[in-house]
Amino acid sequence: MGSETRVFTLSQVSEHNHSKDCWLIIGGKVYNVTKFLEDHPGGDEVLLSATGKDATDDFEDVGHSSSARAMMDELYVGEIDTSTIPSKTKYTPPKQPHYNQDKTSEFIIKLLQFLVPLIILGVAVGIRFYTKSSA
């Protein structure tokens, strides 16, 4: 008689979220890491903070040893119902304002309103120096 695999929902796993009862989801499998909390090299806070979500990425990012992976077999309690895990939202950049052709002409007008008086002033100063130096 083979033992039947238990399947848990994310909310069921999330209830096991403290130092006396801590479960994690890694690679679609549910692990009861309660007895390992004190021995975890990264500290128990790391494990406790990973409850209530899929901790696969956190686990893989750290780069656990093969002995750590083998130890997980002893902590295995079942599978996660993946339909209960919210799908990861992909990063979508904020919408950029649509390029408005009309704004370009507004910018040119403002630029000209600034530059034209400067050009007139420059020409006037140039004429003044030119007429003074030739007299």
Side-chain angles (χ1 to χ4, degrees):
M1 284 203 297
S3 62
E4 207 171 300
T5 302
R6 293 188 57 196
V7 178
F8 300 96
T9 64
L10 178 62
S11 62
Q12 287 174 313
V13 175
S14 299
E15 292 170 11
H16 304 270
N17 61 1
H18 50 86
S19 59
K20 302 277 186 251
D21 183 24
C22 182
W23 289 15
L24 297 180
I25 303 163
I26 300 170
K29 296 181 177 181
V30 179
Y31 298 93
N32 180 347
V33 296
T34 310
K35 63 182 180 182
F36 184 62
L37 285 174
E38 289 180 23
D39 298 327
H40 186 252
D44 61 350
E45 301 87 17
V46 177
L47 298 176
L48 290 167
S49 69
T51 61
K53 64 175 186 165
D54 185 340
T56 306
D57 290 343
D58 297 341
F59 180 82
E60 295 299 340
D61 288 348
V62 171
H64 286 84
S65 65
S66 54
S67 60
R69 292 174 188 276
M71 195 181 299
M72 291 170 63
D73 292 341
E74 301 168 29
L75 308 174
Y76 175 80
V77 290
E79 302 287 318
I80 185 71
D81 178 353
T82 53
S83 69
T84 65
I85 297 177
S87 60
K88 289 198 171 113
T89 54
K90 288 199 169 170
Y91 173 74
T92 50
K95 293 250 185 277
Q96 294 296 322
H98 181 68
Y99 178 69
N100 187 345
Q101 199 67 34
D102 298 337
K103 292 282 185 196
T104 304
S105 59
E106 279 180 37
F107 173 74
I108 291 172
I109 290 169
K110 286 184 179 174
L111 187 65
L112 288 175
Q113 286 174 337
F114 176 74
L115 287 179
V116 168
L118 282 179
I119 292 170
I120 293 170
L121 181 65
V123 169
V125 168
I127 291 172
R128 172 123 173 120
F129 278 114
Y130 179 74
T131 54
K132 259 192 176 176
S133 62
S134 61

